[in-house]
Amino acid sequence: MSKTESVPQVNDICRIAKGTTITGVIISSSDIRIDGNFDGNLHTKGKLVVGESSKIKGKIFCQSCDIWGNLEGELYVEEILNLKAKSSMAGMLKCTRLGIEVGANLNGTCNMINKEMYNKFVDEVFHPGKPAAQPADTQQRPAGK
């Protein structure tokens, strides 16, 4: 039996080039690399790479993240965040795992969360009004049963 591997294709990576400025909302299931400027809300189910020349400001949600440039705002990472040397993160950080290289700058608050908390934060921003799931033992049962 052969093993099937899922290899990302070149077209599965969204790239915002240096010199480009985007303001608004980005929602993607692909990996994203930003070398330009972005101001707004971003949600990707893939990896976010913040390039050395980038300036990002806003509320960011991603599966994993490598920061080489500048990010300001709120960052929610489902798996792991890596702050590379010469990177700068200012604001509120919520992640499950964190790596910080010597020379990186982190200024703000940092909270370690789990995947369930991450999903709750995503729903609050991108699916407002969605009823929260109740734990199985506290769900309402019809009367008389």
Side-chain angles (χ1 to χ4, degrees):
M1 185 183 292
S2 66
K3 182 178 173 183
T4 304
E5 291 185 33
S6 175
V7 179
Q9 300 300 312
V10 172
N11 294 335
D12 290 342
I13 299 173
C14 175
R15 183 166 183 165
I16 299 170
K18 183 177 181 179
T20 303
T21 298
I22 295 180
T23 301
V25 177
I26 296 177
I27 299 174
S28 177
S29 58
S30 302
D31 293 346
I32 299 175
R33 179 179 176 99
I34 300 176
D35 289 304
N37 300 319
F38 175 75
D39 188 352
N41 290 347
L42 182 145
H43 178 223
T44 179
K45 293 183 179 178
K47 181 176 187 171
L48 172 65
V49 176
V50 178
E52 291 176 349
S53 62
S54 65
K55 291 187 183 199
I56 299 177
K57 186 175 185 178
K59 196 176 277 196
I60 312 298
F61 295 83
C62 55
Q63 179 185 27
S64 62
C65 185
D66 287 345
I67 299 178
W68 299 84
N70 300 296
L71 191 144
E72 180 183 340
E74 297 177 30
L75 177 61
Y76 301 82
V77 182
E78 183 177 10
E79 291 181 3
I80 187 164
L81 166 66
N82 290 302
L83 291 170
K84 303 298 186 176
K86 299 183 183 178
S87 68
S88 175
M89 164 67 197
M92 184 177 71
L93 169 62
K94 294 185 184 285
C95 62
T96 16
R97 293 181 293 159
L98 174 62
I100 303 176
E101 290 184 1
V102 173
N105 183 18
L106 174 60
N107 187 12
T109 62
C110 177
N111 296 101
M112 303 311 280
I113 60 172
N114 59 33
K115 289 185 180 191
E116 290 77 23
M117 292 171 72
Y118 172 83
N119 291 328
K120 179 182 171 222
F121 292 128
V122 169
D123 286 341
E124 287 174 0
V125 173
F126 292 97
H127 308 108
K130 178 181 172 184
Q134 294 181 344
D137 60 341
T138 63
Q139 288 182 347
Q140 297 291 326
R141 293 185 174 79
K145 291 194 179 192

